Amino acid sequence: MEFNAVINEGLGYSLRIPLNKEHDVVLSTLGVPQGWMTPCFIGVGYPKEDALVLEQYSSNPDGHIHMGGW
């Protein structure tokens, strides 16, 4: 899925990684064959007019990358 195209059409999207029972409940509800799994669910739709938009923060990767030690 091309997320830029989704945004360009005025739609919003969300990504959710299901855990434990939630994963099983969603697969059962959707009728997914037994033994299959889904690593994530992507919802696409029109966002609410008054939806809360969280502020993004920047992260400096230099503080997270360690070469040869901590």
Side-chain angles (χ1 to χ4, degrees), residues 1 14 22-23 35 40 48 59-60 62 66 70:
M1 178 180 293
S14 65
E22 177 188 13
H23 184 261
C40 67
K48 289 174 42 177
S59 176
N60 182 353
D62 293 337
H66 305 280
W70 295 96

Side-chain angles (χ1 to χ4, degrees), residues 14-38:
S14 65
L15 179 128
R16 181 162 179 85
I17 299 172
L19 300 173
N20 303 325
K21 186 173 172 93
E22 177 188 13
H23 184 261
D24 298 335
V25 169
V26 172
L27 294 184
S28 174
T29 302
L30 296 176
V32 176
Q34 190 75 309
W36 288 28
M37 68 169 290
T38 327

